[in-house]
Structure formats: C-alpha cells, structure tokens
Amino acid sequence: MLCLFVTAGGERLAIPVSRVVEVIPAVRMHQSAAGSTWLAGMFRYRGAVTPVLDLDRLATGDSVPMRLSTRIVILDVPSPSGLKRLGLLAERLTDLREFVAAGPSYAVPAP
C-alpha cells in the first residue's frame, strides 16, 4: 500500500495515499469553543468548513510546532453519511513510499 509518511510527536506515521486529497501548508484556523484538546481548529477548504486534528496533541499532548515545514494533510474519511473531509496537522512530511507489513490485515507484496 502506497503511504505518505509524516512526523508527529517524534514518531513516523503512515497515511494511505488512497485517502489523501491534498497536502497544503499550515493555515490560520478558527478555534472551536466546544472542540476537544486534539482539535487544532477549523478552516474553510474549497468552500467547506473542515476540522483539523493536531497529530502531536493526539500522540504526546503537545501542539504541533508551527514551522515552514508544518503541513495539513486533507483526507477523505468514510462516515455513515458518505465521505467527509478532515485535516491532519503534521510537523512535516518525510516521504512517499510503499508500506509493507506482515499481519492478518495486510498483504505483503511479492518481491
């Protein structure tokens, strides 16, 4: 499975490319009064209000540092009412490559 690798909380995370819509630089977000601590905020993406989750807060409790390398990965996420847009705030993107893992839910590609 082709994955986009990002850094969050000092860890590398793999995001399946099939879910990625676009990667954009971090933008100013509006804070939600009722939002959870891991919600970085909301912003308007192509006319729709899009929530953004802070991956560092989810992993470590600290916020993603806002640097030139900070990115928002826009995803299509399945929900009972269809696909919804969601942003993931990541410290930086590291690479794009095939993710190979062994286990009951992964198929290992033949060499």
Side-chain angles (χ1 to χ4, degrees):
M1 161 182 9
L2 188 61
C3 290
L4 175 66
F5 285 81
V6 300
T7 301
E11 300 291 327
R12 286 184 50 188
L13 305 173
I15 301 171
V17 168
S18 61
R19 296 281 181 216
V20 176
V21 174
E22 189 173 357
V23 177
I24 62 172
V27 297
R28 174 177 269 166
M29 290 174 267
H30 299 281
Q31 300 302 311
S32 172
S36 299
T37 57
W38 37 263
L39 182 66
M42 304 178 93
F43 77 108
R44 191 166 298 279
Y45 174 75
R46 302 199 187 276
V49 175
T50 304
V52 178
L53 305 182
D54 185 325
L55 289 177
D56 274 23
R57 278 194 212 156
L58 284 168
T60 66
D62 295 327
S63 295
V64 168
M66 295 307 277
R67 299 185 174 125
L68 288 174
S69 61
T70 305
R71 297 287 183 261
I72 298 174
V73 180
I74 306 293
L75 305 174
D76 273 338
V77 180
S79 76
S81 60
L83 290 176
K84 300 288 184 188
R85 291 277 157 93
L86 174 70
L88 298 178
L89 186 64
E91 190 174 324
R92 66 187 170 114
L93 279 58
T94 57
D95 54 6
L96 178 68
R97 63 186 171 112
E98 198 67 30
F99 180 70
V100 180
S105 61
Y106 295 101
V108 178

